[in-house]
mmCIF file of all heavy atoms in Angstrom:
data_model
loop_
_atom_site.group_PDB
_atom_site.id
_atom_site.type_symbol
_atom_site.label_atom_id
_atom_site.label_comp_id
_atom_site.label_asym_id
_atom_site.label_seq_id
_atom_site.Cartn_x
_atom_site.Cartn_y
_atom_site.Cartn_z
ATOM 1 N N SER A 41 -0.276 18.206 23.762
ATOM 2 C CA SER A 41 -0.358 18.700 22.392
ATOM 3 C C SER A 41 -0.900 17.619 21.479
ATOM 4 O O SER A 41 -0.498 16.450 21.567
ATOM 5 C CB SER A 41 1.027 19.144 21.902
ATOM 6 O OG SER A 41 0.982 19.540 20.557
ATOM 7 N N THR A 49 -4.380 12.119 7.451
ATOM 8 C CA THR A 49 -3.288 11.500 8.222
ATOM 9 C C THR A 49 -3.690 11.186 9.652
ATOM 10 O O THR A 49 -2.840 11.122 10.532
ATOM 11 C CB THR A 49 -2.056 12.428 8.234
ATOM 12 O OG1 THR A 49 -2.441 13.709 8.776
ATOM 13 C CG2 THR A 49 -1.520 12.636 6.843
ATOM 14 N N ASP A 508 12.931 25.874 23.634
ATOM 15 C CA ASP A 508 12.846 27.106 24.436
ATOM 16 C C ASP A 508 12.812 28.333 23.532
ATOM 17 O O ASP A 508 12.013 29.266 23.744
ATOM 18 C CB ASP A 508 14.031 27.191 25.396
ATOM 19 C CG ASP A 508 13.942 26.135 26.506
ATOM 20 O OD1 ASP A 508 12.835 25.606 26.729
ATOM 21 O OD2 ASP A 508 14.980 25.844 27.132
ATOM 22 N N TRP A 752 -46.466 60.524 -24.109
ATOM 23 C CA TRP A 752 -47.235 59.764 -25.090
ATOM 24 C C TRP A 752 -46.320 59.339 -26.229
ATOM 25 O O TRP A 752 -45.213 59.850 -26.401
ATOM 26 C CB TRP A 752 -48.416 60.575 -25.638
ATOM 27 C CG TRP A 752 -48.037 61.978 -26.072
ATOM 28 C CD1 TRP A 752 -48.171 63.105 -25.346
ATOM 29 C CD2 TRP A 752 -47.424 62.354 -27.318
ATOM 30 N NE1 TRP A 752 -47.699 64.184 -26.032
ATOM 31 C CE2 TRP A 752 -47.242 63.753 -27.264
ATOM 32 C CE3 TRP A 752 -47.044 61.679 -28.458
ATOM 33 C CZ2 TRP A 752 -46.672 64.476 -28.300
ATOM 34 C CZ3 TRP A 752 -46.481 62.383 -29.513
ATOM 35 C CH2 TRP A 752 -46.291 63.777 -29.430
ATOM 36 N N LEU A 761 -54.964 49.104 -44.308
ATOM 37 C CA LEU A 761 -56.363 48.814 -44.008
ATOM 38 C C LEU A 761 -57.070 50.128 -43.737
ATOM 39 O O LEU A 761 -56.510 51.051 -43.140
ATOM 40 C CB LEU A 761 -56.472 47.887 -42.789
ATOM 41 C CG LEU A 761 -55.825 46.504 -42.928
ATOM 42 C CD1 LEU A 761 -55.916 45.770 -41.606
ATOM 43 C CD2 LEU A 761 -56.500 45.708 -44.035
ATOM 44 N N MET A 792 -59.485 45.812 -37.146
ATOM 45 C CA MET A 792 -59.979 44.467 -36.840
ATOM 46 C C MET A 792 -59.227 43.884 -35.645
ATOM 47 O O MET A 792 -58.014 44.058 -35.516
ATOM 48 C CB MET A 792 -59.802 43.555 -38.066
ATOM 49 C CG MET A 792 -60.618 43.970 -39.285
ATOM 50 S SD MET A 792 -60.403 42.807 -40.643
ATOM 51 C CE MET A 792 -58.647 42.958 -40.921
#
Side-chain angles (χ1 to χ4, degrees):
S41 176
T49 57
D508 291 341
W752 48 263
L761 298 175
M792 296 182 299

